[in-house]
Amino acid sequence: MQRTKIRYLFRLNFLLFVFLLMAPPPPAGASDGLTLPAPAELLKLVRRGWVYEIHSSRVRRPPDLPEVEFNSSEVALGPVCVIGEAPHPQTRAVIDSFATLLGEIYGRRVPVSYVDGNIDSCPTPQRTYIRLYSGRPPYGRFNADLRALDKVFDIRFPKHWHEPVLSPAQTNGFFGRNGATAHLLISQPGSVNPSPLQQAFYSSMLIEELFQVVTFGADILKFERNTPFYSKLQEFPSNLRYLSWKSEEFMTGLLESNPYGLCGFDVLMLHTLAGANLRNSNTPELLTYFKAELGTLLAKTRITMRDDRFAAMLDETCQTWPG
């Protein structure tokens, strides 16, 4: 199955930079039940998930398009508009909690608008649009959204181009001539009282998409079943291609392929991206900042993880550090 991806007007190539940065152990301190990290393991995760080469996914990228910049702070502080179906209470709780988490880390509350109607009802321009649905994927409205964004942000899609719906949750990001924007198409519970499996499934997908769109993180393939997960972006390959997205087998398989919520390392990366404040985060400067400020970043991460407001966003099975 093709899992959720950040799909930009380029394709993410997960080649690593051919250098190795080593950091001294962070200062000792209260661990609050967490084991201190092995810096080399942390740096390996940062390189694989956030420092990668960019290759265009289109035949040509017009030379007059603005430079592609992975600016996490610009996304994290930008407005969000939620359209489509009315949000299920669980969906709204996840979005609001994630917005609060970003406000805590990046220093300003993310403005979120819930509007009736289509994308034209949103305040414009918005940095991120989220279309919710619970039945069949709204292919027509999804592509109508992207065409509307084309008009606002001057993305200039090819004539007669249509984006397929390949997953129950997927993100498209665009860097147009009038700025950058992202569109999330997210399936949510269709019943008032979803089962525990459905609750976990829909929350997990939404948390992953929100985290990826803010951090520009890439999926990290993990092939060892006997080693723990350390990041929401780690993914054990699963063949779910021919299963219905509504089936228990599909939901169970997807949930078993990566953590349910954010791991301790993911909160650490949010603090890293916010503190580094780089216009383009997938560069060696991110690793340099991470190496130099690791002790301070760990301390901030522990404080955030102790905040009860974010408990539902965190996966308690991956709150320990690698090492």
Side-chain angles (χ1 to χ4, degrees), residues 49 150 238 242 267 273:
D150 192 2
S238 300
Y242 299 110
V267 179
L273 292 164

Side-chain angles (χ1 to χ4, degrees), residues 8 11 13 41 54 90 102-103 118 124 156 161 163 170 188 198-200 202 204 221 228 236 240 243 256 258 280 283:
Y8 291 88
R11 203 170 295 281
N13 188 329
E41 289 297 315
I54 304 171
Q90 173 181 301
L102 294 182
N118 288 321
T124 56
R156 300 193 185 179
W161 171 80
E163 182 73 13
Q170 65 186 56
Q188 65 171 354
Q198 291 171 331
Q199 291 178 40
Y202 290 110
S204 178
L221 289 179
F236 191 88
L240 308 175
L243 296 176
E256 290 178 348
N258 77 345
N280 200 353
T283 61

Side-chain angles (χ1 to χ4, degrees), residues 118-129:
N118 288 321
I119 197 168
D120 293 338
S121 302
C122 292
T124 56
Q126 300 284 282
R127 184 54 178 81
T128 303
Y129 298 82

Side-chain angles (χ1 to χ4, degrees), residues 55-193:
H55 293 270
S56 174
S57 66
R58 305 295 178 193
V59 176
R60 291 176 298 176
R61 179 174 172 83
D64 61 329
L65 280 173
E67 180 183 357
V68 172
E69 293 180 347
F70 286 178
N71 187 335
S72 179
S73 296
E74 185 267 337
V75 181
L77 300 177
V80 178
C81 187
V82 183
I83 59 176
E85 286 185 352
H88 188 279
Q90 173 181 301
T91 303
R92 184 158 189 158
V94 170
I95 294 174
D96 290 347
S97 180
F98 192 77
T100 302
L101 175 65
L102 294 182
E104 183 73 16
I105 294 176
Y106 286 84
R108 186 169 71 87
R109 172 75 183 185
V110 179
V112 180
S113 301
Y114 295 88
V115 304
D116 294 328
N118 288 321
I119 197 168
D120 293 338
S121 302
C122 292
T124 56
Q126 300 284 282
R127 184 54 178 81
T128 303
Y129 298 82
I130 303 176
R131 175 171 284 280
L132 303 174
Y133 73 98
S134 61
R136 294 175 60 85
Y139 175 80
R141 292 188 176 184
F142 168 53
N143 275 277
D145 289 348
L146 300 189
R147 290 293 177 184
L149 297 184
D150 192 2
K151 294 179 181 179
V152 174
F153 293 93
D154 197 11
I155 302 165
R156 300 193 185 179
F157 295 131
K159 190 175 181 179
H160 305 307
W161 171 80
H162 292 275
E163 182 73 13
V165 179
L166 301 174
S167 169
Q170 65 186 56
T171 298
N172 289 268
F174 307 104
F175 295 88
R177 290 168 178 79
N178 296 332
T181 189
H183 183 284
L184 285 68
L185 180 65
I186 305 287
S187 183
Q188 65 171 354
S191 62
V192 177
N193 298 308

Side-chain angles (χ1 to χ4, degrees), residues 6 12 14 48-50 52 212 215-221 233-234:
I6 297 182
L12 302 184
F14 310 149
R48 292 185 65 189
W50 284 270
Y52 44 77
Q212 282 195 294
T215 67
F216 296 97
D219 289 340
I220 303 171
L221 289 179
L233 298 190
Q234 287 182 296

